[in-house]
Amino acid sequence: MEKDILEILEFDKIRDRLAELAPSVLSKKRALSLTPSYVPEVVEKSLQETDEASVLLEKEITTPLGETHDIPGLLKKAEKGSILTAREFLDLANSLDTYKKMHHYFEGERHLQYPALEEISSLIVPQESLISHIYRVFDEHGEVKDQASLKLYRIRTQKETVKSRIRRSFQHILQDKDMAPYLQDAIITQRNGRYVVPVKEEYRYKFSGIVHDRSSTGQTLFMEPMASVELNNDLAEMTAAEKQEIQDILQNLTDEVKKTVEVTENNCRLATDMEFIFARARLALSMKAVKARHSEGVLDLRKARHPLIPDDQVVPVSMTLGKTFRILVITGSNAGGKTIAIKTAGLLSLMNQAGLFIPAEEGSMLPVYEHIYAIIGDEQSIQDNLSTFSSYITQLVSFLPSAGPKDLVLLDELGSGTDPVEGAALAQSVTEYLQMEGAPAIITSHFSEMKKLAYETKGIENAFVEFDEKTLAPTYRLIIGVAGNSNAFNICRRFGMPDMILGRAIQLKNESPLHNMEEVMERLNQQSRDLNKEKDRVDKTLHQAEELKNSLEDARDEFYRRKDSILEKAREEAENMKRDLRVQSETIIKDLKKNAAALNKNKLGDKISDIRGRIDGLAVPGRENRRDPLPQDKIRKGTYVYIDTIDSEGTIVSVSRNQVSVQCGLIQVKVTPEHLFKAQKPKKQEKILPYAHKKTMTRSVAQVHTELNIIGKTVDEAIPEVDRFLNDCFMAGISPVRIIHGKGTGSLRRGVQDYLRTLNFVTDFHEADPTNGGAGVTEVYF
């Protein structure tokens, strides 16, 4: 992108706002040097990074950011061999700590949620050894620790011993009554790194010692007692040794930094990238901006807001370009928002190509332009002695021959600043040239000839900024598809132009050959306003209808849920009634058998079978089938279907005339087509091996076992299984059956037998004989 276009569209102000949100000196520099890209892959990658950072800021409690410093300078210093200061070492350690945090932040599930950010963090190399070394040498105040080296520890230990001896020596002097008259104060102080006491000037020759300083009045001398001279000498030597050892420690640490300069610089660059990405995300959140969808040559901005206009003043603008037309001619009143409209389109395009989100609604689309050319405002050059028109033409010819289908051209007031007739002709000619070259362009103009050109030429469309004639003020709304007039007379009237002058101007306008066109424009504008009102009314009605539809669907679903619940309860009650009836009937049948001596046995058996059959045939309420019928063309092998007669789903395996064979799990059933419906939840069918299928199908589907093993279960776990087992056996007419519970403590046996006493269809139960399990088995009779 050319530097001039960034200044014309005020992209530098966006960079300033971005820099304010950047956390470090280096990321601020990155923000201030940001330039848009014309490579789609680069743009998409940058937008993806911004998107992930925006989601992370809103979703996560912590971020990968931390304290970083401008360390390239101190790395260069280390490379040159200069020893780093304690402050520089601590700044480096804090930065390396943050780099390490960034590297580990996206481990775990986050690497799947933020792949673009994780890719950057994974390239950071944690320098734990260097971090540990720095923190081993310095404390939090930047002082070198005693443990920085063994030698330094020994020196400082000996130094403290000498200091202690010096203090004892001085305490002896201060406590000596003979020395008291000589001293100004009974204190110990230091001068030139040596311990001294304040001695009165008149006693300087009576006090044995060396003068190191005197007070400003000359009445006090600071003297080192001769008794401590040797000790002070020892202390001075140790202090010098300490300084030398510290110097050696810092030199070694600087050498270690020097060895890792390449890795550290790369880590710094990656961390700065991460900080810069989060600055872009914070800018997006502050603007309530969205990620523009990438398109091939189509600009579609939905309620876009110019980011440099305050929120309480900006009027959103919707604009499209590149779908059915490639050139948009915007007309309308002065100060109506034409220039803001094209600036918004240009600036948002630059922001998008710089990896920034745009302040617009979701669904807005932008292509990646190779070049954006713009002439906006008065760019007259006094230095070059160019008029407004000359300056405009100079800029225009600088890029016009290069403009093509992958560029965007923004021209404000094309053809203005010269004779209106010639200017209009020039504007038409330039517009036709751009259309012939296929270059997308947004052009603002007041010329009626430009409106006429847009109406008559395919690929060129009119638009206008709306003007409210009641308030005599612009609304700043952009309406595409209709041209507008300049409303010059209304604006003049609003600002107090004398009626006589306005009247004459209107008369001259009416004599113009293009007067009728202005009237047509006005009628079209009124029609457009009426259509917009009708559209708003229809949209409101549709919205209400949609809400009503959703409400009815919710009510319907709730109705079916309640209906299913009631039916399910009815089914359970019916099953209980049926079971109780079966128990009662079995009791009656037993009584009949006892008194059947005088009856014909054959007739008795038939009667009993009839009664049992009628009981088993009692209907239980079922669920209503609300599935869609299966179309005729779908009744073919391999279709997954639902069968209403058995409330099951399966796969069609064959079709023969009016019979359809369906594989439902391990069984195969035949039904007629009217019982087939669309399956609600299709699922992948497991392949059944031929030999396994054959083996399974030889067994009875309704097979019921006569034994139940509940050893190892608690009473609460066993009772539901016992209940199901007994019901199945009772309904199958099997008696007796065996419950294997084991001996153990006997609690499981007692729990089962207590439960058996509550069942009215159980006539008897007792422990099995010793050969069949004894106390570990209970036999049940129905």
Side-chain angles (χ1 to χ4, degrees):
M1 296 291 174
E2 287 73 10
K3 181 179 178 181
D4 290 346
I5 194 67
L6 303 182
E7 296 176 356
I8 292 171
L9 295 175
E10 300 180 288
F11 185 75
D12 55 322
K13 294 182 179 179
I14 299 297
R15 291 191 292 203
D16 290 340
R17 291 183 61 176
L18 186 60
E20 292 174 1
L21 299 171
S24 68
V25 173
L26 295 177
S27 56
K28 289 181 186 297
K29 291 179 181 178
R30 283 287 305 278
L32 293 173
S33 63
L34 175 64
T35 56
S37 171
Y38 60 87
V39 181
E41 293 77 13
V42 174
V43 173
E44 182 56 33
K45 184 175 184 295
S46 298
L47 290 173
Q48 179 64 26
E49 293 168 348
T50 306
D51 189 27
E52 290 183 11
S54 300
V55 172
L56 189 150
L57 288 174
E58 291 188 309
K59 179 181 177 182
E60 305 288 347
I61 298 176
T62 62
T63 71
L65 304 184
E67 181 182 357
T68 59
H69 299 273
D70 186 3
I71 63 173
L74 65 87
L75 293 178
K76 290 181 180 178
K77 180 179 177 182
E79 279 188 304
K80 293 178 180 178
S82 299
I83 296 177
L84 302 182
T85 65
R87 183 70 265 164
E88 289 171 332
F89 277 119
L90 289 179
D91 287 348
L92 177 59
N94 290 334
S95 298
L96 296 182
D97 251 342
T98 298
Y99 303 163
K100 183 177 73 171
K101 174 186 174 184
M102 287 183 182
H103 174 76
H104 293 296
Y105 183 84
F106 295 98
E107 294 176 346
E109 294 182 357
R110 287 195 181 116
H111 85 280
L112 298 175
Q113 300 171 356
Y114 313 105
L117 299 180
E118 193 274 337
E119 181 181 353
I120 297 174
S121 70
S122 66
L123 299 175
I124 295 176
V125 179
Q127 296 170 273
E128 296 180 359
S129 176
L130 180 56
I131 297 172
S132 177
H133 192 173
I134 294 174
Y135 286 139
R136 191 168 61 250
V137 170
F138 297 99
D139 61 19
E140 64 273 16
H141 305 295
E143 299 294 331
V144 178
K145 297 179 180 178
D146 296 347
Q147 293 78 14
S149 74
L150 182 60
K151 184 177 180 181
L152 181 63
Y153 178 78
R154 286 200 300 265
I155 291 173
R156 287 184 172 176
T157 302
Q158 294 171 1
K159 190 175 176 182
E160 286 301 319
T161 301
V162 173
K163 284 183 179 179
S164 178
R165 292 175 62 189
I166 292 174
R167 282 193 294 271
R168 286 197 301 270
S169 173
F170 273 69
Q171 286 296 330
H172 179 72
I173 294 173
L174 295 178
Q175 294 172 4
D176 188 343
K177 293 181 180 180
D178 294 334
M179 292 290 181
Y182 303 154
L183 302 179
Q184 194 73 262
D185 290 297
I187 61 173
I188 304 172
T189 185
Q190 277 188 317
R191 288 295 186 274
N192 303 321
R194 300 178 76 88
Y195 287 96
V196 295
V197 292
V199 178
K200 296 177 182 178
E201 199 278 336
E202 60 267 28
Y203 297 113
R204 63 179 301 179
Y205 296 112
K206 294 185 177 181
F207 185 87
S208 177
I210 301 172
V211 177
H212 286 281
D213 196 7
R214 69 172 56 238
S215 66
S216 58
T217 61
Q219 299 299 313
T220 303
L221 301 178
F222 295 95
M223 300 181 65
E224 177 185 4
M226 293 303 296
S228 64
V229 170
E230 290 298 327
L231 291 175
N232 269 325
N233 289 340
D234 292 341
L235 182 63
E237 290 179 7
M238 291 178 186
T239 301
E242 178 187 24
K243 290 181 179 179
Q244 183 59 49
E245 179 60 17
I246 290 175
Q247 191 77 354
D248 292 342
I249 291 171
L250 297 184
Q251 181 64 64
N252 292 334
L253 191 54
T254 300
D255 291 341
E256 185 175 346
V257 171
K258 184 178 179 180
K259 293 176 183 177
T260 62
V261 163
E262 186 175 347
V263 174
T264 307
E265 285 181 338
N266 188 57
N267 285 346
C268 178
R269 179 184 58 79
L270 294 169
T272 302
D273 290 344
M274 188 76 74
E275 291 176 334
F276 180 52
I277 290 169
F278 276 88
R280 303 202 304 259
R282 289 194 174 95
L283 181 65
L285 294 176
S286 69
M287 289 183 175
K288 298 178 182 178
V290 301
K291 178 185 176 183
R293 292 165 50 195
H294 175 68
S295 67
E296 294 295 336
V298 175
L299 178 149
D300 185 8
L301 297 176
R302 303 179 183 182
K303 293 188 178 180
R305 309 179 304 277
H306 195 287
L308 301 179
I309 299 177
D311 292 341
D312 58 345
Q313 299 178 21
V314 67
V315 177
V317 58
S318 295
M319 186 186 311
T320 183
L321 187 71
K323 291 182 179 179
T324 58
F325 55 88
R326 298 183 68 84
I327 295 180
L328 185 66
V329 177
I330 304 177
T331 54
S333 61
N334 289 307
K338 299 190 301 296
T339 301
I340 291 297
I342 62 173
K343 275 191 170 184
T344 300
L347 181 55
L348 266 55
S349 296
L350 291 177
M351 290 175 63
N352 177 65
Q353 293 182 218
L356 303 177
F357 282 11
I358 61 171
E361 280 195 351
E362 290 284 356
S364 294
M365 294 191 301
L366 284 170
V368 175
Y369 295 110
E370 289 188 357
H371 299 89
I372 298 178
Y373 303 109
I375 306 178
I376 299 174
D378 185 5
E379 297 293 334
Q380 179 172 335
S381 172
I382 298 176
Q383 181 178 356
D384 295 334
N385 196 28
L386 298 176
S387 66
T388 300
F389 181 73
S390 298
S391 174
Y392 199 108
I393 298 303
T394 300
Q395 296 176 73
L396 186 61
V397 298
S398 67
F399 64 78
L400 199 58
S402 305
K406 295 185 178 181
D407 303 326
L408 176 64
V409 180
L410 306 172
L411 300 176
D412 189 25
E413 303 293 352
L414 177 60
S416 62
T418 188
D419 178 79
V421 176
E422 293 180 351
L426 179 63
Q428 291 178 82
S429 178
V430 170
T431 304
E432 289 174 348
Y433 172 81
L434 291 172
Q435 194 234 9
M436 180 180 65
E437 294 296 320
I442 303 176
I443 303 170
T444 68
S445 177
H446 286 285
F447 295 128
S448 296
E449 292 85 350
M450 289 289 287
K451 306 171 190 177
K452 182 173 178 293
L453 175 66
Y455 273 121
E456 295 176 347
T457 308
K458 184 178 180 180
I460 306 177
E461 185 59 271
N462 270 309
F464 79 101
V465 286
E466 191 179 45
F467 188 87
D468 190 337
E469 295 188 358
K470 293 182 180 179
T471 62
L472 300 179
T475 65
Y476 302 103
R477 291 179 58 238
L478 181 68
I479 300 175
I480 295 177
V482 182
N485 55 56
S486 299
N487 289 288
F489 296 156
N490 288 325
I491 294 174
C492 290
R493 186 176 290 109
R494 178 186 175 192
F495 285 98
M497 180 69 73
D499 291 341
M500 181 180 69
I501 298 175
L502 275 179
R504 176 56 179 163
I506 293 172
Q507 179 184 356
L508 293 173
K509 176 188 174 183
N510 291 337
E511 296 173 359
S512 169
L514 296 175
H515 172 60
N516 291 335
M517 185 175 179
E518 292 292 338
E519 293 181 351
V520 171
M521 299 295 177
E522 183 56 36
R523 287 197 298 272
L524 288 172
N525 291 345
Q526 185 58 46
Q527 292 175 7
S528 176
R529 286 191 288 268
D530 294 341
L531 285 173
N532 284 333
K533 290 180 181 179
E534 183 65 19
K535 180 179 179 297
D536 292 340
R537 188 188 68 79
V538 171
D539 289 344
K540 184 178 180 180
T541 302
L542 287 174
H543 180 68
Q544 293 173 343
E546 187 67 26
E547 289 183 340
L548 179 60
K549 175 188 173 186
N550 293 336
S551 176
L552 290 173
E553 287 179 348
D554 292 342
R556 180 198 64 189
D557 293 342
E558 178 62 24
F559 168 77
Y560 282 131
R561 280 194 295 270
R562 294 184 62 185
K563 180 179 178 182
D564 288 344
S565 176
I566 293 171
L567 283 176
E568 187 64 32
K569 186 176 181 181
R571 283 168 60 89
E572 293 177 0
E573 292 176 353
E575 288 286 358
N576 292 332
M577 292 173 61
K578 183 177 177 181
R579 187 177 65 180
D580 291 343
L581 183 58
R582 178 67 182 267
V583 172
Q584 295 174 22
S585 68
E586 289 294 331
T587 303
I588 295 172
I589 290 170
K590 287 181 181 180
D591 292 340
L592 284 173
K593 286 181 177 180
K594 290 179 181 179
N595 302 299
L599 299 175
N600 184 291
K601 291 185 178 180
N602 293 330
K603 290 183 178 180
L604 178 62
D606 293 341
K607 187 65 175 177
I608 290 173
S609 297
D610 178 60
I611 292 172
R612 284 174 172 164
R614 286 161 59 189
I615 292 171
D616 291 337
L618 289 175
V620 177
R623 294 186 180 87
E624 179 184 351
N625 175 36
R626 296 195 293 272
R627 307 197 185 208
D628 296 330
L630 191 67
Q632 189 65 31
D633 61 342
K634 295 293 184 180
I635 303 178
R636 60 175 183 266
K637 184 178 180 181
T639 303
Y640 194 65
V641 298
Y642 169 76
I643 306 172
D644 63 344
T645 54
I646 61 173
D647 189 26
S648 183
E649 295 179 348
T651 304
I652 296 176
V653 294
S654 66
V655 179
S656 177
R657 295 186 180 179
N658 201 36
Q659 290 289 325
V660 181
S661 295
V662 182
Q663 186 72 41
C664 299
L666 297 177
I667 66 172
Q668 190 176 110
V669 296
K670 290 186 178 181
V671 295
T672 53
E674 62 266 21
H675 293 296
L676 299 179
F677 297 85
K678 290 182 178 179
Q680 290 182 341
K681 298 180 179 178
K683 59 184 179 181
K684 184 177 181 181
Q685 298 299 299
E686 295 183 359
K687 184 176 180 181
I688 302 175
L689 298 176
Y691 66 87
H693 174 69
K694 182 177 180 181
K695 180 179 180 181
T696 304
M697 292 302 294
T698 59
R699 301 176 58 189
S700 172
V701 176
Q703 182 178 359
V704 177
H705 295 284
T706 60
E707 289 185 352
L708 174 65
N709 190 332
I710 56 172
I711 293 176
K713 299 184 181 295
T714 64
V715 174
D716 290 337
E717 292 172 343
I719 292 303
E721 293 190 23
V722 171
D723 183 67
R724 286 193 294 270
F725 170 68
L726 295 177
N727 280 330
D728 291 343
C729 293
F730 176 71
M731 297 303 291
I734 300 172
S735 179
V737 295
R738 292 157 49 86
I739 301 176
I740 305 171
H741 42 64
K743 297 178 181 179
T745 62
S747 60
L748 182 57
R749 179 181 68 251
R750 289 192 297 274
V752 169
Q753 293 181 354
D754 288 343
Y755 176 69
L756 292 174
R757 293 187 181 93
T758 66
L759 303 177
N760 53 13
F761 63 89
V762 175
T763 58
D764 187 24
F765 63 86
H766 56 72
E767 295 177 357
D769 59 70
T771 60
N772 291 322
V777 178
T778 296
E779 293 182 347
V780 184
Y781 296 82
F782 303 124

